[in-house]
Amino acid sequence: MQCLHLAELPWKKEFPGFDSICLVLVAPVLREVDRQKGGQGRLAKRARIINGLIGKLLDSAAVDISKGGSPSVRLTSREELRPDPEMEESLDYTQADDAIVGTVSALLKGCDDGGVVKLLSNDNGVLLTARRVGVPFHRVPPEWLLSAESDEEQKKTKALESEIRRLKNSEPACVVQASELPWKFSVDRFEPLMEAQIAELLVMLQSAFPEATDFGQREISTRSSTPGQRGIFAHFGKEEFVPATEGEIREYQQERYPQWISSCEKYLKDVHHKLEKRLPAPRILIELINEGTRPAEDVRVAFSIRGGGLLIKLPEKVDEESAADLVGGIQMTVSCGSSGIALPRPPSAPKGHWKQVKAFAKVDQISSIARMVSTFDPLTSPAHRIVGPVFQPTRDSDAFYWRSGRRPMFPLPSTELTCQQWRHRSIPESFEFEVVWLGGVESRKGAIHVEIHAANLTDPVTKTIPIQVTAQVGDTWGEAQALIELLKVPTGLLRLPRA
């Protein structure tokens, strides 16, 4: 927009030795042309001329600028190109200059035809940024530029620029921040067990816990549980042995034991997923800050993860850990809500049981039952207690809420929040997510994309943060064998971790 017409420029003199030149328009430049064409003065007039030239790209993939001369100069558009995510730590893509440099870097990496790719500009800010991050560039020579504008036009331009700055400064200034960059994580991944491995593990289970054939004493007998009692009091101390019934034995042989083997088989088929969930997933923390001079109104924030076969999930809400002192000065930490993995325990074989033989209820038992009946009041008991009206909680206008109306419980590719009025210069809003892996054991690369919209925000605020997750393959077979060995430990035995 500050140069002579493209067809009038001495391309051959500036780029000797080249037979063809392709001018590539990228999205930040197109946006700048759209922004300038609605104004006044020479810059706006030039923007409208260039916009007409760009309009020809709607009918063809390229526009010939050289009109058959040498070298051939074509104008094309690559608005689908996005800034290089690998340079996001060095560049601020919310700024047009940095977005242009990042887009040229992406074009450079995607060009595999052997051509020379350079950033063409006369803007010192853009060129200094390109030199800082190592992006090749070519500076526009002074003779390509138009003559200086008149003082009156400069005054109008400065007045318009000042008005634009005033309007921008009156908007919210939403900023996306991420801690502990770069995001590079390592996770344990497990391959599923093969059918032959599962069959071998089931044989190990049946060998370690064979189906019972001894069902205890088969005859009814009695004994005294309170030796030395005589007379009527002896009736209160008599016990009777009840052998296992044929129905209980048949249920154990035909249902409970086969069902246990079947449930273990099902568990082993899915054990690789359970092993992966045993360790906490990688977590990312994102902070949102409104650094502007006024609140943001009717805000919508979208978090999405792109590429890499990854999803995001909110961390589970678990109770805080509590410590308990045991005998001998040993301390055990108990964490409510966390659980390990274990195979279903084998069913116990029916072997009969001893039961108390009572002639009649004890006097004190009868008295306690009578007291319970006499004190029962159907109007004041918990089951019949009248409950007052339920009030719906009101929403704070400056708090963030899930757009769906409820906290997401499962992994998703994206999630959104809303806020009626996001206060400025307040405490940063923090959001923590878990990175969830979708199958496989290969390493993945993706990116978290954050987008902020507001009713009083001219352009949405966006930020893309790359994520790299490296997989370490675990030993599924060895872990499955360890689960069988764990079943051999008695249920009541407490195993404490080594200090």
Side-chain angles (χ1 to χ4, degrees):
M1 290 184 287
Q2 298 287 359
C3 292
L4 300 170
H5 195 278
L6 296 178
E8 301 174 359
L9 297 175
W11 297 100
K12 185 174 183 179
K13 178 183 177 182
E14 192 64 26
F15 297 99
F18 288 92
D19 297 327
S20 63
I21 297 173
C22 180
L23 303 176
V24 181
L25 285 172
V26 293
V29 176
L30 292 173
R31 287 197 294 268
E32 182 66 14
V33 172
D34 285 338
R35 190 178 71 85
Q36 294 287 359
K37 69 182 181 182
Q40 300 293 327
R42 185 177 72 176
L43 187 62
K45 182 179 178 181
R46 291 286 298 164
R48 287 190 287 271
I49 293 174
I50 294 175
N51 187 65
L53 183 62
I54 296 173
K56 296 181 180 180
L57 294 174
L58 295 174
D59 301 322
S60 60
V63 176
D64 187 9
I65 301 298
S66 57
K67 307 298 182 182
S70 177
S72 65
V73 182
R74 296 177 298 112
L75 177 69
T76 186
S77 174
R78 290 290 301 276
E79 69 279 359
E80 79 281 0
L81 278 175
R82 290 296 176 264
D84 187 355
E86 295 182 3
M87 285 197 172
E88 192 162 11
E89 297 180 17
S90 303
L91 300 173
D92 181 6
Y93 289 153
T94 61
Q95 303 297 322
D97 290 354
D98 287 17
I100 292 173
V101 175
T103 306
V104 174
S105 176
L107 176 63
L108 182 65
K109 293 180 179 179
C111 184
D112 55 0
D113 58 0
V116 178
V117 177
K118 290 187 177 183
L119 167 64
L120 183 63
S121 177
N122 69 312
D123 189 329
N124 289 333
V126 176
L127 297 177
L128 287 172
T129 300
R131 187 183 69 175
R132 176 170 60 85
V133 297
V135 172
F137 62 87
H138 187 93
R139 186 172 187 177
V140 170
E143 56 268 21
W144 282 26
L145 303 178
L146 295 168
S147 58
E149 294 182 278
S150 64
D151 292 341
E152 189 64 28
E153 289 178 337
Q154 288 182 354
K155 289 180 181 180
K156 290 181 180 180
T157 301
K158 289 182 178 180
L160 290 172
E161 291 176 347
S162 177
E163 179 67 12
I164 291 173
R165 283 194 299 270
R166 186 186 69 81
L167 293 174
K168 292 292 288 184
N169 290 335
S170 66
E171 291 185 352
C174 303
V175 180
V176 180
Q177 293 182 346
S179 60
E180 299 181 3
L181 293 177
W183 282 342
K184 294 183 178 180
F185 306 103
S186 178
V187 296
D188 289 337
R189 312 309 297 170
F190 292 86
E191 292 278 16
L193 292 169
M194 294 183 292
E195 292 293 334
Q197 291 177 314
I198 295 176
E200 187 175 347
L201 290 168
L202 293 178
V203 171
M204 294 181 187
L205 269 176
Q206 290 173 303
S207 176
F209 304 96
E211 183 178 342
T213 57
D214 179 13
F215 301 104
Q217 180 180 328
R218 307 302 297 148
E219 297 83 16
I220 298 176
S221 61
T222 59
R223 69 182 182 186
S224 176
S225 61
T226 55
Q229 294 284 1
R230 297 183 178 214
I232 190 172
F233 297 100
H235 290 284
F236 294 106
K238 183 180 292 184
E239 290 181 336
E240 181 180 75
F241 181 78
V242 181
T245 65
E246 294 298 327
E248 291 174 337
I249 296 174
R250 185 167 53 251
E251 180 187 8
Y252 169 80
Q253 293 175 331
Q254 299 179 6
E255 295 182 18
R256 294 172 59 202
Y257 190 84
Q259 286 176 359
W260 172 67
I261 295 295
S262 177
S263 62
C264 289
E265 180 181 9
K266 183 179 179 181
Y267 194 96
L268 291 171
K269 287 181 179 179
D270 195 44
V271 73
H272 57 289
H273 292 310
K274 300 180 185 298
L275 289 170
E276 291 170 357
K277 294 177 182 178
R278 179 179 55 181
L279 299 176
R283 292 192 179 187
I284 56 177
L285 181 65
I286 299 174
E287 291 186 339
L288 306 182
I289 308 173
N290 181 4
E291 296 181 341
T293 58
R294 60 174 300 178
E297 300 173 357
D298 192 15
V299 182
R300 179 170 63 88
V301 182
F303 299 93
S304 60
I305 191 163
R306 301 178 178 180
L310 302 171
L311 296 177
I312 53 175
K313 177 182 177 296
L314 293 174
E316 296 286 348
K317 291 184 176 180
V318 297
D319 297 332
E320 294 184 357
E321 293 183 345
S322 59
D325 292 327
L326 303 180
V327 178
I330 302 175
Q331 189 178 68
M332 179 182 66
T333 301
V334 180
S335 178
C336 300
S338 62
S339 60
I341 61 172
L343 287 167
R345 297 200 69 84
S348 300
K351 293 189 176 182
H353 62 280
W354 290 92
K355 72 174 184 178
Q356 188 84 22
V357 178
K358 296 183 179 180
F360 48 85
K362 293 182 179 180
V363 175
D364 57 344
Q365 291 178 334
I366 297 175
S367 300
S368 63
I369 294 173
R371 285 194 300 270
M372 291 173 59
V373 173
S374 64
T375 57
F376 176 76
D377 185 353
L379 296 179
T380 60
S381 63
H384 298 274
R385 189 169 298 157
I386 299 174
V387 181
V390 178
F391 295 96
Q392 293 292 337
T394 58
R395 286 192 168 189
D396 295 334
S397 60
D398 57 350
F400 281 85
Y401 296 90
W402 302 107
R403 194 181 183 194
S404 61
R406 62 179 59 187
R407 188 178 190 271
M409 300 297 296
F410 304 101
L412 297 169
S414 63
T415 188
E416 294 187 5
L417 298 102
T418 60
C419 178
Q420 185 178 347
Q421 190 177 60
W422 184 11
R423 297 288 180 185
H424 59 293
R425 307 286 173 86
S426 60
I427 300 174
E429 299 287 343
S430 299
F431 302 93
E432 190 175 33
F433 297 97
E434 291 182 351
V435 180
V436 180
W437 192 289
L438 288 181
V441 295
E442 69 280 2
S443 299
R444 307 283 176 82
K445 286 185 178 181
I448 286 286
H449 182 76
V450 186
E451 192 167 318
I452 304 175
H453 296 263
N456 56 343
L457 197 60
T458 304
D459 299 313
V461 175
T462 61
K463 187 177 182 66
T464 303
I465 310 168
I467 299 176
Q468 182 176 345
V469 186
T470 303
Q472 296 179 349
V473 181
D475 183 9
T476 313
W477 171 257
E479 294 286 351
Q481 287 181 306
L483 291 178
I484 296 177
E485 292 298 321
L486 190 60
L487 280 182
K488 299 177 182 179
V489 179
T491 308
L493 182 61
L494 176 64
R495 301 205 314 171
L496 297 176
R498 293 182 179 178

